[in-house]
Amino acid sequence: MQDNATEVTAAGIARLAGVGRAAVSNWRRRHADFPRPVGGTETSPAFALAEVEEWLRRHRKLAEVPLKERVWQQLAGHPDGPVTALVHAGCALLLIHERPPVWLDISSGTDERLAALLPTALDEVLTPRVPGTARPGRTDRSRVNGQPPVNTPPAATPANPATPATPATPATPATPALAIPTAPRLLPSVPLLRGVAELAADRGARPTFEFLLGRHLDANPRQYTLTPPDLAGLMAALAGTPATVLDPSCGTGALLRAVADRPDRRLHAQDSSPELAALTALRLALHTRAPVHAAAGDTLRADAYPGLRADAVLCHPPFNERNWGHDDLAYDPRWEYGFPARTESELAWVQHALARLRDGGTAVLLMPPAVASRRSGRRIRADLLRRGALRAVVALPAGAAPPYSVPLHLWVLRRPDRTHAQPELLLVDAGRFTAEGRGGPDWPGVRETVLDAWGAFDRDGGVEERPGVARSVPVIELLDDDVDLTPARRLPPPADTDGAGRLADVRARLDETLRLTAELAPPPAEPVPSAASGRLPLTTVGELARAGALVMRTGGHGGRARVPVLTDHDVLAGTAPSGTLPESEEEPVLTEPGDVVLPVLGGGAVARVVDEATAGAVLGRNLVLLRPDPAALDAWFLAGFLRGTANHRQASSYASTATRLDVRRLQLPRLAPDEQRRYGERFRALDAFERALREAGRLGEQLVRGMYDGLTDGTIAPD
């Protein structure tokens, strides 16, 4: 079967060839034999992948399409959409992972034979690994994972027996997360599955799925709210080592994937998005040997596990939902601590989590900070405290999870199995671990602080007070008119007896930096005589790349875990690598000393030479790396001329809301090595001056902020 159905956009062609989108537009204009569009729109046409590959090879634009890029383009251009393609790929990868001889047998024949035999093979693998998976041709979905689905909210005794219960609006029942695809549905995916199998032979089945899933999530950032791996690991660590774990809003399965393994582990997942429920089921089945029970459906209205009593519940619920079921679930038995207001959807998720725990079980939920203080939720918060269900509130640093500008909270809850004589609440504020710039928090510091405090509190019932960091507060102190549980408002201020001393140190560093800045300031510019200002012969980055004088690389969409990523913001701001990329087996581009890095979006005339401190970082998205041959090009000469404003203007393309730089069109003069080094030394000196100016500004802001804080909190005298 030919892969004529797979389409690719201009952006995909650019990725395949390692060029900018402007180059693809030029090819379309200049080459009459460039493939004609087969779909898309007039402003965003789509092309047949097979025709594009053949054209690239014929014109020597690309010797061979990398396998991972070919597989990704097949997935992204699948006629039934990328999610369907990803589910089919995940099913095949699970079969390859579990029973490789079966895959080799059924894939040895024609595409039609593979599509016909694959459903039966998948049934034998998926049914025991993901209980409740719908089999081919099965129409009876009356049971989900062995339990009847919820068609309407469970009946309950009204809070006021004299008030009759109003009939609830019927809810769509929960359904199995996975249904084994039929042969006709699989047939268009067969070329993709063969490519996926080839990729898995090199990388492994699990890393291959993680690469494809990570690339899909990265290509659609606004469609998904992700739980970062470090945060997922912290939440799982707070839950301990439970045997049965539920995530009622599973998303892409990050929380369940982070749970510590044990032989008797059982995982339960549900999500309102059928797409995410299916992807989570496959991701977890590839990740663990534990049974994965997964369902698709609105958890609050159509709970797939009404009889479950889990050891732990981990949840990153949707925030600030108004349509969570307030009108339909007024008499639901889950509201043991009070009926949540329409604006308190998060407190509905809290009570759902408690209802699905066994006595003594632990729930960890990620919450927006407003839930700790909104007046509409104070009665429920008070009852959670009185009955000992809410055990800890942890304030995370800003940047821990989306929305990154908000310092979110973690709530740790226990389903009460006994009455506490003198209940207390643990409050922890990890805000001091916020990183400067756009980088994520100092996760090792957050993890150590939070787990140490929780471990001591859980073991001893209290913790030694750490001003500004942790305190166990008697519940009676919290039961006032507001029941405000915000840690920063209940913790004593940090002991800052040496505040003035630290500010003196900042002032001394600022004085030294200002002195250095004055020394590095360039001398007055001397005009070049008109007779000597003739135009130098020019070349372009593209010509230098073709001649072998430099190597050009573009930033990736995934990479190794815990490797610092140099982002476009870092390059623009002159800061250390601060970013992260989705974890995958994609080979990252690592920087080396002497590389020149440029951002391609935003229109800023910036080029950064990589030094020893930055070397080894992964090249992030929207960045291009130029690696000059030292025998032919001086790195500082190259970077300096690439920063010219006029140079950037002529090499940029402009859309209505963005500017994109075509690095290959950037120009620089043809000069002998000695002359290049003369220019390079001057550009290096300008860079040192620029960095000193930035450091002076940063220290000045730190000094001003510290003075304001010291004067207002009384640690610094006004005179």
Side-chain angles (χ1 to χ4, degrees):
M1 178 179 176
Q2 295 298 316
D3 187 23
N4 293 328
T6 302
E7 299 177 1
V8 60
T9 64
I13 298 173
R15 185 186 300 278
L16 289 172
V19 299
R21 293 180 63 177
V24 178
S25 299
N26 288 335
W27 293 343
R28 292 185 63 195
R29 289 194 300 267
R30 293 168 51 193
H31 297 276
D33 63 338
F34 193 87
R36 300 299 180 189
V38 297
T41 65
E42 183 176 348
T43 57
S44 181
F47 307 84
L49 177 61
E51 295 178 7
V52 168
E53 290 177 347
E54 194 278 331
W55 187 90
L56 290 173
R57 294 191 189 97
R58 189 169 67 248
H59 287 263
R60 298 183 179 180
K61 305 293 185 183
L62 190 66
E64 185 61 48
V65 178
L67 176 60
K68 65 179 182 180
E69 293 299 335
R70 175 182 175 82
V71 170
W72 166 247
Q73 294 298 343
Q74 288 175 322
L75 188 148
H78 194 281
D80 292 330
V83 174
T84 297
L86 192 54
V87 170
H88 291 178
C91 290
L93 287 168
L94 185 60
L95 177 63
I96 294 169
H97 181 68
E98 296 281 330
R99 301 184 182 182
V102 175
W103 168 261
L104 291 174
D105 176 52
I106 66 175
S107 63
S108 60
T110 64
D111 289 357
E112 289 74 12
R113 178 177 181 270
L114 173 57
L117 296 179
L118 189 54
T120 301
L122 290 177
D123 189 13
E124 296 176 356
V125 171
L126 280 172
T127 301
R129 297 290 288 109
V130 187
T133 298
R135 294 184 171 88
R138 174 182 173 186
T139 59
D140 177 18
R141 289 194 174 187
S142 61
R143 302 182 70 80
V144 178
N145 300 330
Q147 300 184 32
V150 179
N151 292 299
T152 59
T157 302
N160 181 357
T163 304
T166 56
T169 302
T172 302
T175 60
L178 281 175
I180 297 173
T182 61
R185 291 294 305 277
L186 284 169
L187 190 57
S189 300
V190 169
L192 166 67
L193 302 186
R194 293 191 186 278
V196 164
E198 188 178 351
L199 195 60
D202 179 51
R203 295 169 171 250
R206 185 185 302 162
T208 297
F209 186 76
E210 289 294 323
F211 160 69
L212 295 174
L213 176 61
R215 180 70 71 86
H216 173 68
L217 297 176
D218 189 62
N220 302 275
R222 296 185 180 181
Q223 295 184 21
Y224 306 102
T225 299
L226 305 181
T227 307
D230 289 301
L231 176 58
L234 174 61
M235 294 174 67
L238 287 168
T241 56
T244 304
V245 191
L246 166 68
D247 185 346
S249 181
C250 63
T252 59
L255 291 175
L256 293 177
R257 188 169 177 262
V259 175
D261 200 6
R262 54 183 289 178
D264 57 344
R265 185 172 67 173
R266 296 183 304 280
L267 304 178
H268 295 75
Q270 183 172 351
D271 200 275
S272 59
S273 167
E275 297 178 355
L276 290 178
L279 295 177
T280 290
L282 290 167
R283 187 183 196 189
L284 295 175
L286 282 163
H287 177 72
T288 178
R289 297 298 306 171
V292 179
H293 303 267
D298 185 331
T299 297
L300 295 181
R301 289 188 176 92
D303 182 13
Y305 312 104
L308 179 66
R309 294 296 176 265
D311 298 314
V313 175
L314 300 174
C315 187
H316 178 173
F319 297 161
N320 303 317
E321 278 200 335
R322 293 299 184 99
N323 186 28
W324 59 267
H326 178 271
D327 295 337
D328 306 333
L329 304 174
Y331 303 106
D332 196 290
R334 289 173 290 184
W335 316 143
E336 296 182 47
Y337 302 89
F339 181 41
R342 189 183 303 276
T343 57
E344 295 287 355
S345 62
E346 296 86 3
L347 292 180
W349 285 98
V350 164
Q351 295 189 76
H352 173 80
L354 287 168
R356 294 296 159 263
L357 286 173
R358 64 166 175 80
D359 290 348
T362 302
V364 185
L365 285 85
L366 184 67
M367 309 289 276
V371 182
S373 58
R374 280 194 298 240
R375 290 190 61 80
S376 55
R378 65 188 187 278
R379 293 183 182 276
I380 295 177
R381 293 196 299 271
D383 208 30
L384 289 169
L385 292 172
R386 289 191 193 97
R387 297 170 60 179
L390 182 57
R391 307 299 297 138
V393 176
V394 177
L396 296 170
Y404 290 108
S405 60
V406 177
L408 301 175
H409 287 182
L410 289 178
W411 282 26
V412 184
L413 303 107
R414 284 270 171 82
R415 183 168 180 83
D417 57 351
R418 59 187 176 85
T419 302
H420 293 266
Q422 294 180 332
E424 295 189 346
L425 177 72
L426 174 65
L427 297 176
V428 181
D429 189 348
R432 66 193 180 104
F433 295 104
T434 301
E436 294 186 6
R438 285 190 351 181
D442 173 13
W443 278 112
V446 173
R447 186 180 177 92
E448 180 181 2
T449 298
V450 174
L451 294 182
D452 284 353
W454 170 249
F457 180 80
D458 193 36
R459 180 180 62 252
D460 305 327
V463 296
E464 182 178 349
E465 182 177 293
R466 296 178 59 191
V469 178
R471 177 191 176 201
S472 53
V473 184
V475 164
I476 193 65
E477 291 186 18
L478 302 169
L479 297 177
D480 52 21
D481 290 341
D482 295 323
V483 197
D484 190 339
L485 309 182
T486 306
R489 295 172 186 157
R490 300 288 183 174
L491 292 172
D496 196 7
T497 56
D498 194 33
R502 287 191 297 105
L503 288 180
D505 179 62
V506 172
R507 176 56 189 267
R509 290 162 57 198
L510 176 60
D511 289 342
E512 177 62 22
T513 304
L514 290 173
R515 183 192 61 77
L516 178 63
T517 304
E519 292 179 358
L520 293 173
E526 298 181 2
V528 177
S530 57
S533 59
R535 184 174 178 82
L536 297 171
L538 299 176
T539 185
T540 65
V541 169
E543 291 173 352
L544 291 171
R546 287 191 291 273
L550 58 81
V551 175
M552 182 171 163
R553 303 290 298 276
T554 57
H557 284 67
R560 303 163 186 165
R562 300 187 181 279
V563 177
V565 175
L566 185 67
T567 68
D568 54 347
H569 180 271
D570 299 330
V571 174
L572 291 168
T575 55
S578 65
T580 58
L581 287 175
E583 182 179 350
S584 76
E585 290 301 309
E586 181 178 354
E587 191 64 28
V589 178
L590 300 180
T591 58
E592 297 179 1
D595 289 343
V596 178
V597 180
L598 302 91
V600 296
L601 294 179
V606 176
R608 177 171 174 178
V609 178
V610 175
D611 56 16
E612 294 290 345
T614 308
V618 175
L619 188 70
R621 293 168 293 179
N622 301 322
L623 290 176
V624 170
L625 178 147
L626 304 178
R627 183 165 293 158
D629 179 357
L633 278 175
D634 179 81
W636 286 101
F637 161 78
L638 174 64
F641 272 97
L642 297 187
R643 288 191 61 169
T645 302
N647 201 3
H648 267 248
R649 188 181 300 118
Q650 65 85 27
S652 296
S653 58
Y654 301 93
S656 58
T657 58
T659 302
R660 186 173 186 88
L661 179 69
D662 184 354
V663 175
R664 291 177 177 269
R665 294 173 57 186
L666 288 170
Q667 299 174 337
L668 62 159
R670 299 177 184 271
L671 295 178
D674 289 344
E675 192 68 9
Q676 288 185 31
R677 284 190 286 272
R678 282 186 57 212
Y679 275 99
E681 287 302 317
R682 188 63 181 272
F683 288 137
R684 187 198 295 264
L686 284 173
D687 180 78
F689 175 63
E690 183 179 38
R691 285 188 282 111
L693 283 176
R694 285 201 185 104
E695 179 68 6
R698 187 184 68 81
L699 289 171
E701 291 178 359
Q702 186 176 344
L703 179 61
V704 170
R705 184 173 61 249
M707 289 295 295
Y708 271 109
D709 290 344
L711 288 168
T712 55
D713 64 22
T715 57
I716 296 177
D719 52 0

